[in-house]
Amino acid sequence: MVLLNNFNRKILAHFDFILPLLISPIVLLSWFLVSENNEFLGQKVLIYAMIGFCIFCVTFFIPIRKIPWAIIGFYWLNIFLLVIVEFFGDTRLGAQRWLELPFVHFTFQPSETMKPALILMIAYLVAKNPPPKGGYKLLDFLKLSFFIMLPFVLVLKQPDLGTALVLLLMSYGVLFLIGVNYKIWIAIVILIGLTSPIMYVNLHDYQKKRIVDFVTKDPDHQVKQSMIAIGSGGIWGKNKEEATQAAYKFLPIATSDFIFPYFMERFGFVGAVGLFLLYGVLIFHIFGLSNVDFKDHFLRVVSYCVGMLLFIYVSVNIAMTIGLAPVVGIPLPLFSYGGSSFITFVILFAFLEHILAFRYEMLYNRTSFSKRRALSSAG
């Protein structure tokens, strides 16, 4: 019983209670807006939240540091599923991204589970071989790049340019923060500049059209209605009865990808500032967790990745709703209606909390800590 009490105290001492406090108001706001627009979908948001809580509790107790073989297996399993999608995946709206589980007729996107798999794989590789002074050299960078580019290419072939770019930006953004020799980044910038015409030529026709339309034409109908909803909210927003853009279905998919314009129509500029502050504090807090132990590279990579992923999702989603980016299928994290994205972030938060809460197992096994204990006992 004494050992169990000590175990529980150590978990509670290292558990980050600020993280759920920052996440909760975003989820509650999402439930309120979705329920207001569609009561049935609002009930499903609550179901997703309950499922997410259960998944969090299970994932939190997975000892990921102690089972590196599971991290490697999880990564390669997702690579295998992405390959299977190429041959047996369901096609919707011209994209082959979904797999259907036999007997239960439940579909899921392996590209979603690839995100936590890739994050853990990068964390494992960096922790196993931390960057030297001056950052990773070319050989180590290429080894890490192999594990990043493989899922990127497979997701890009579905085609899912949005998710593929998210994986790419998140992964290389984290390597930039962890440390790679500056000469490599200069070479990459030059290479991208030289090969960008070739990459553009090899895009799918609809992807080229999106880029051309974004650069040369006025915003399309979706974005125009979105901008009208944002502008009509004014400073303080409108009552539900006066929020005509969503009520009369002028605003497309107001509960998912375009939920931000609906939020602004209801709560105006002041509400948007509040939402930005919530996301900003959450992202900076997650980035700040990397400083809990600067020598813990596993923790640093996971916190950087989760923070980077949130920042990319929020930035791209809001940018596309105000006409500053092409429309891609990237939801507003924890806010847009949808189970796949919500569960993915719940799993990532659980992994992050586990690494923090069970950090004492590493701290108390360090030689320096043992020596301090011995000296204090002798004193």
Side-chain angles (χ1 to χ4, degrees):
M1 182 62 71
V2 174
L3 289 174
L4 183 61
N5 288 336
N6 289 336
F7 178 75
N8 291 336
R9 280 200 295 269
K10 290 171 185 175
I11 291 177
L12 292 175
H14 289 75
F15 189 88
D16 180 34
F17 291 98
I18 298 176
L19 190 59
L21 287 177
L22 293 174
I23 294 167
S24 297
I26 298 175
V27 176
L28 288 172
L29 271 173
S30 170
W31 168 75
F32 173 79
L33 277 183
V34 174
S35 299
E36 187 177 76
N37 191 269
N38 188 312
E39 189 175 346
F40 174 72
L41 293 183
Q43 292 174 352
K44 292 188 72 174
V45 169
L46 291 179
I47 293 172
Y48 285 140
M50 289 186 288
I51 293 173
F53 177 77
C54 295
I55 291 175
F56 179 93
C57 293
V58 172
T59 307
F60 176 75
F61 287 101
I62 298 176
I64 51 177
R65 286 187 189 269
K66 296 182 178 180
I67 48 174
W69 56 268
I71 294 175
I72 298 169
F74 186 39
Y75 174 86
W76 286 109
L77 172 63
N78 278 275
I79 293 295
F80 173 73
L81 292 175
L82 288 175
V83 173
I84 293 295
V85 167
E86 180 73 18
F87 298 99
F88 304 106
D90 287 349
T91 302
R92 303 177 189 175
L93 302 175
Q96 193 169 342
R97 305 173 187 173
W98 292 265
L99 283 179
E100 182 175 338
L101 298 178
F103 308 115
V104 296
H105 302 294
F106 176 79
T107 59
F108 77 103
Q109 289 181 254
S111 58
E112 283 296 327
T113 52
M114 189 71 241
K115 292 167 190 171
L118 179 59
I119 289 172
L120 291 179
M121 191 65 178
I122 296 173
Y124 164 72
L125 294 171
V126 171
K128 186 180 178 182
N129 179 29
K133 186 177 181 181
Y136 286 117
K137 301 300 188 291
L138 182 60
L139 183 59
D140 289 326
F141 178 77
L142 291 176
K143 288 179 181 177
L144 289 166
S145 293
F146 168 78
F147 291 97
I148 295 168
M149 294 304 297
L150 184 57
F152 167 76
V153 171
L154 291 172
V155 174
L156 190 63
K157 282 177 64 64
Q158 294 182 354
D160 189 354
L161 180 60
T163 301
L165 287 176
V166 166
L167 293 174
L168 197 71
L169 291 172
M170 176 196 72
S171 303
Y172 283 111
V174 168
L175 291 186
F176 178 82
L177 294 172
I178 288 293
V180 172
N181 190 278
Y182 73 95
K183 295 178 182 178
I184 295 175
W185 295 121
I186 294 174
I188 289 174
V189 171
I190 294 172
L191 184 64
I192 291 173
L194 294 174
T195 60
S196 54
I198 300 172
M199 291 188 287
Y200 176 78
V201 168
N202 286 281
L203 290 174
H204 290 267
D205 290 338
Y206 83 93
Q207 292 169 340
K208 292 179 186 177
K209 185 177 183 301
R210 281 184 179 179
I211 295 173
V212 171
D213 290 349
F214 173 70
V215 174
T216 63
K217 294 183 179 181
D218 291 334
D220 61 19
H221 176 73
Q222 285 181 310
V223 178
K224 284 182 179 178
Q225 296 301 325
S226 169
M227 294 170 72
I228 291 170
I230 290 171
S232 67
I235 299 295
W236 301 102
K238 296 179 175 180
N239 295 327
K240 178 184 176 182
E241 294 76 16
E242 298 174 344
T244 54
Q245 284 297 109
Y248 296 136
K249 310 300 180 186
F250 293 122
L251 183 64
I253 45 181
T255 57
S256 54
D257 290 353
F258 283 83
I259 195 171
F260 176 71
Y262 179 45
F263 174 81
M264 281 211 65
E265 188 179 25
R266 286 285 284 109
F267 297 102
F269 177 77
V270 173
V273 171
L275 186 63
F276 290 157
L277 284 174
L278 278 175
Y279 275 118
V281 172
L282 175 61
I283 291 167
F284 276 108
H285 176 70
I286 291 172
F287 272 116
L289 295 176
S290 63
N291 296 321
V292 169
D293 185 354
F294 199 74
K295 294 181 179 179
D296 189 347
H297 293 286
F298 199 99
L299 169 61
R300 290 181 66 205
V301 170
V302 174
S303 61
Y304 282 153
C305 281
V306 176
M308 190 79 68
L309 200 61
L310 276 168
F311 175 76
I312 293 169
Y313 267 65
V314 173
S315 302
V316 173
N317 179 273
I318 293 176
M320 76 180 189
T321 63
I322 60 178
L324 295 180
V327 176
V328 291
I330 292 182
L332 195 57
L334 307 171
F335 207 74
S336 298
Y337 169 78
S340 298
S341 174
F342 181 80
I343 297 301
T344 297
F345 276 104
V346 166
I347 291 171
L348 291 175
F349 292 140
F351 282 142
L352 184 56
E353 287 283 18
H354 170 88
I355 296 165
L356 290 166
F358 289 87
R359 187 169 56 88
Y360 67 87
E361 293 186 356
M362 291 189 67
L363 289 174
Y364 295 167
N365 286 327
R366 285 185 180 172
T367 305
S368 59
F369 185 86
S370 301
K371 287 181 179 178
R372 288 199 301 271
R373 285 289 299 273
L375 288 173
S376 63
S377 298

